[in-house]
């Protein structure tokens, strides 16, 4: 069920490509709402809008805002004739995109010629906030030489413009391009599946390193398999099939009060210990003795040590990179000072991927074919 109300736009609070944050008067209150310009067109003060108020009514966290369903001031809109792939299919908000798989797409020939990731590293994260430390560390270590492309799955938010973080990372040139796959939409490139999204990142967006993760928000429960972060294991399988190098970010925390997330989260233990069917690399940051003992016990008991390659990354400039690039990122409301291991783990994965890139670049320069 959807809780629907009509409101009046009072003010524009913020704009970024594809999204406008507005203040609306609804049910006698002034409250925040989000308008996706790609879906419902532009808005301005004085417009009457139809709002989905369900999330605010349910007092949700990440999704706790109103969303514009229609702008009554401009109810008639046309769409470009190019593209026929629909995302959020068979819903009132289904949106048409021009996907890389379609012949009309400018990158179609490059995409269709590709069937491999050519051995490049793919950093696979289970939460959206992990992409910032990973991207920052990659840029820091490679000095911007590695072209990093973000592949956003549909495990969290579907519209990419919702992410202030991606907007910030692109502005700072830490991400070169974005690909939205599945029902996610709004990236520089659109793809129908995770597989085609990964291939598009490599062949069309020309990625040297890919970061793959869901958009903002995650659906989770206290059950073993009832969380969308489970896709991390499936992404490991996909990267292996496409001949890339999967690098999985472990979800670490010693600040989360929930026992299932203490140390190595049950998200990681399930996704990598039970869902991932092929080996990947799991980088860890340096930990204190007591924390290290707990995490390694969890790695062993979950089966991750038997199935995957776990490495400890000694050189991990996560703090320096985030501070230098002016990136403020939180997880569950906690920043790096409050939950350092969470961010250091993502940075360790970025550092490991950056090392693979530099090693490959050095190998290419030193090969007989490349020597002048």
């Amino acid at each position: 069920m959807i809780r629907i109300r009509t409101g009046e736009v009072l003010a524009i609070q913020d704009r970024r490509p594809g999204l406008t944050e507005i203040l609306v008067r609804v049910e006698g209150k002034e409250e925040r709402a989000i308008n996706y310009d790609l879906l419902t067109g532009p808005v301005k003060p004085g417009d009457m809008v139809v709002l989905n108020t369900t999330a605010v009514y349910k007092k949700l966290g990440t999704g706790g805002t109103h969303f514009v369903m229609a702008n009554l001031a401009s109810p008639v809109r046309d769409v470009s004739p190019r593209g026929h792939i629909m995302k959020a299919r068979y819903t009132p908000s289904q949106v048409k995109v021009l996907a890389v798989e379609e012949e009309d797409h400018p990158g179609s020939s490059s995409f269709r010629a590709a069937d491999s990731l050519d051995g490049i590293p793919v950093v696979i994260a289970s939460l959206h906030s992990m992409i910032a430390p990973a991207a920052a560390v990659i840029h820091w270590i490679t000095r911007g030489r590695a072209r990093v492309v973000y592949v956003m799955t549909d495990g969290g938010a579907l519209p990419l413009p919702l992410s202030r973080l991606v907007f910030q990372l692109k502005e700072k040139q830490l991400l070169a391009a974005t690909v939205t796959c599945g029902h996610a939409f709004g990236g520089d490139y659109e793809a129908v599946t995770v597989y085609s999204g990964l291939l598009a990142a490599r062949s069309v967006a020309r990625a040297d390193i890919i970061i793959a993760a869901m958009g903002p928000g995650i659906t989770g429960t206290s059950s073993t398999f009832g969380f969308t972060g489970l896709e991390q294991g499936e992404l490991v399988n996909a990267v292996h099939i496409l001949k890339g190098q999967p690098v999985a970010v472990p979800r670490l925390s010693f600040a989360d009060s929930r026992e299932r997330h203490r140390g190595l989260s049950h998200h990681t233990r399930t996704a990598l210990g039970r869902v991932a069917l092929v080996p990947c690399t799991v980088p860890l940051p340096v930990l204190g003795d007591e924390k290290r003992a707990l995490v390694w016990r969890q790695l062993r008991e979950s089966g991750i040590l038997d199935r995957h390659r776990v490495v400890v990354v000694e050189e991990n400039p996560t703090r320096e990179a985030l501070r230098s690039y002016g990136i403020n990122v939180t997880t569950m409301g906690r920043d790096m000072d409050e939950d350092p291991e969470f961010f250091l783990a993502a940075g360790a994965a970025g550092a490991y991927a950056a090392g693979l890139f530099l090693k490959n670049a050095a190998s290419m320069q030193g090969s007989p074919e490349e020597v002048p």
Side-chain angles (χ1 to χ4, degrees):
M1 296 289 290
I2 299 175
R3 188 175 188 271
I4 300 174
R5 297 293 185 272
T6 300
E8 179 186 2
V9 179
L10 299 178
I12 304 298
Q13 296 187 315
D14 190 26
R15 290 187 191 273
R16 55 185 178 271
L19 182 146
T20 306
E21 294 185 24
I22 59 178
L23 183 69
V24 296
R25 181 183 289 113
V26 55
E27 297 186 293
K29 299 177 183 177
E30 294 185 5
E31 295 182 319
R32 176 175 169 266
I34 287 177
N35 181 73
Y36 291 115
D37 303 345
L38 180 63
L39 295 180
T40 47
V43 290
K44 63 184 185 304
D47 287 352
M48 296 301 296
V49 292
V50 179
L51 299 164
N52 182 333
T53 64
T54 313
V56 175
Y57 176 73
K58 293 298 294 183
K59 297 181 173 60
L60 299 182
T62 304
T65 185
H66 299 312
F67 292 92
V68 175
M69 301 176 67
N71 184 352
L72 299 178
S74 55
V76 178
R77 297 185 64 223
D78 292 321
V79 296
S80 165
R82 299 181 69 197
H84 74 278
I85 297 299
M86 306 296 283
K87 297 199 174 187
R89 289 185 287 276
Y90 305 106
T91 72
S93 296
Q94 64 181 357
V95 57
K96 181 189 69 62
V97 301
L98 176 62
V100 291
E101 294 93 338
E102 299 185 73
E103 292 183 1
D104 286 348
H105 194 282
S108 175
S109 59
S110 297
F111 169 78
R112 290 173 181 272
D115 64 355
S116 167
L117 293 176
D118 303 319
I120 70 168
V122 181
V123 176
I124 304 169
S126 60
L127 290 174
H128 189 70
S129 52
M130 293 172 172
I131 70 176
V137 168
I138 291 169
H139 194 276
W140 180 275
I141 291 177
T142 68
R143 299 180 181 180
R145 290 172 56 195
R147 182 174 171 84
V148 181
V149 176
Y150 170 47
V151 172
M152 186 174 119
T153 72
D154 54 13
L158 299 185
L160 184 141
L162 181 66
S163 175
R164 289 192 185 92
L165 189 59
V166 168
F167 176 70
Q168 186 181 21
L169 294 174
K170 288 192 72 178
E171 269 201 324
K172 296 176 183 295
Q173 300 183 327
L174 304 185
L175 291 179
T178 59
V179 181
T180 38
C181 57
H183 285 287
F185 62 89
D188 297 312
Y189 302 94
E190 303 281 1
V192 173
T193 71
V194 163
Y195 292 86
S196 57
L198 290 167
L199 288 174
R202 175 57 173 164
S203 63
V204 184
R206 298 178 290 109
D208 296 311
I209 297 174
I210 297 170
I211 299 176
M214 69 180 70
I218 183 172
T219 297
T221 66
S222 59
S223 63
T224 302
F225 293 100
F227 63 99
T228 52
L230 201 69
E231 69 174 20
Q232 186 180 36
E234 297 168 350
L235 285 167
V236 168
N237 298 334
V239 171
H240 177 83
I241 289 169
L242 296 176
K243 299 178 179 153
Q245 296 193 57
V247 180
V249 180
R251 181 174 176 178
L252 295 182
S253 177
F254 292 90
D256 200 309
S257 60
R258 296 168 294 179
E259 185 61 31
R260 66 182 185 273
H261 290 303
R262 179 167 177 76
L264 186 68
S265 169
H266 84 101
H267 284 186
T268 300
R269 284 176 269 164
T270 304
L272 300 184
R274 301 184 66 176
V275 177
L277 302 177
V278 294
C280 69
T281 301
V282 184
L284 293 178
V286 175
L287 300 170
D289 291 346
E290 186 177 336
K291 294 176 179 178
R292 182 175 65 248
L294 172 61
V295 169
W296 281 88
R297 176 171 62 79
Q298 292 170 323
L299 287 167
R300 183 173 59 256
E301 291 175 352
S302 63
I304 292 175
L305 276 181
D306 293 332
R307 185 171 297 181
H308 306 292
R309 179 172 178 253
V310 179
V311 298
V312 176
V313 176
E314 301 283 346
E315 298 296 324
N316 187 349
T318 302
R319 288 185 183 274
E320 297 93 324
L322 290 175
R323 186 182 304 116
S324 176
Y325 299 134
I327 298 171
N328 298 312
V329 60
T330 61
T331 176
M332 304 296 293
R334 298 184 294 267
D335 62 19
M336 185 158 185
D337 289 334
E338 297 168 301
D339 200 356
E341 288 82 11
F342 178 90
F343 299 97
L344 289 170
Y352 184 83
L356 292 177
F357 166 79
L358 291 174
K359 181 178 180 181
N360 182 61
S363 174
M364 291 294 293
Q365 290 175 356
S367 65
E369 295 85 355
E370 298 296 319
V371 176

